[in-house]
Amino acid sequence: MTYRLTKNRTFSKIQAKQLYIKSEMFETYYKETTDMEPNTLIKILEENMSFRIPKDFSRSKAKILITVGDQEKQIMKKSVTDLLDKNINCKGLIIPSVGHGVSLAFPDLFNKMVDAWIHDRELPSGLIPVIK
């Protein structure tokens, strides 16, 4: 059923809008989606739905940035706090005015945020720290 939906142009346009795929990229998105093998799509959906925090996540020594858009579903926002609770090396940020897909919705902000995080610089203004 889901596979047939991805071939529906109207559904794909709605989905692309939710993912912040710009109109000039829609044809590429639609072609790649419709060319996808059904088993590949099923595997992607299963992986997304079955995600669990890895058992050894709390032992990671890496500096981990966790972001969520303020327009995301509540379950995604809860995931941020769950991850923060599992590892002291995590920092959580809420990104205003976006749902899922900040890298496409606000590529400049995303790139500045990642660059600042990697180079231990101040993060761009306007991001909201998640306090646990």
Side-chain angles (χ1 to χ4, degrees):
M1 172 74 167
T2 301
Y3 184 67
R4 280 186 260 155
L5 273 176
T6 61
K7 291 186 178 287
N8 180 300
R9 195 170 188 81
T10 302
F11 174 82
S12 288
K13 283 190 177 193
I14 293 167
Q15 191 174 35
K17 183 177 179 185
Q18 288 294 310
L19 295 171
Y20 302 97
I21 295 170
K22 295 188 184 332
S23 58
E24 61 268 16
M25 292 303 297
F26 176 75
E27 291 305 324
T28 300
Y29 168 77
Y30 183 67
K31 180 181 182 335
E32 289 179 2
T33 302
T34 57
D35 288 351
M36 189 181 300
E37 293 291 326
N39 287 340
T40 302
L41 177 61
I42 290 167
K43 185 71 173 163
I44 291 168
L45 294 172
E46 286 174 348
E47 290 294 324
N48 283 340
M49 297 304 293
S50 66
F51 176 78
R52 301 284 181 263
I53 298 171
K55 187 178 104 178
D56 292 334
F57 181 75
S58 62
R59 294 180 19 200
S60 175
K61 303 235 184 288
K63 190 175 83 157
I64 304 166
L65 181 63
I66 303 166
T67 64
V68 66
D70 72 346
Q71 296 173 6
E72 289 260 23
K73 292 181 181 354
Q74 199 57 41
I75 193 167
M76 297 301 290
K77 293 175 182 176
K78 183 179 179 328
S79 292
V80 173
T81 57
D82 290 347
L83 288 164
L84 290 171
D85 287 342
K86 298 286 184 197
N87 189 301
I88 61 169
N89 298 313
C90 293
K91 178 173 182 149
L93 295 174
I94 299 172
I95 303 167
S97 305
V98 70
H100 198 72
V102 67
S103 61
L104 293 175
F106 302 119
D108 289 339
L109 172 63
F110 178 79
N111 290 333
K112 287 175 185 172
M113 181 177 59
V114 171
D115 186 64
W117 182 253
I118 289 170
H119 296 103
D120 288 319
R121 290 193 285 249
E122 187 176 331
L123 291 161
S125 64
L127 303 173
I128 305 161
V130 177
I131 309 298
K132 50 178 190 165

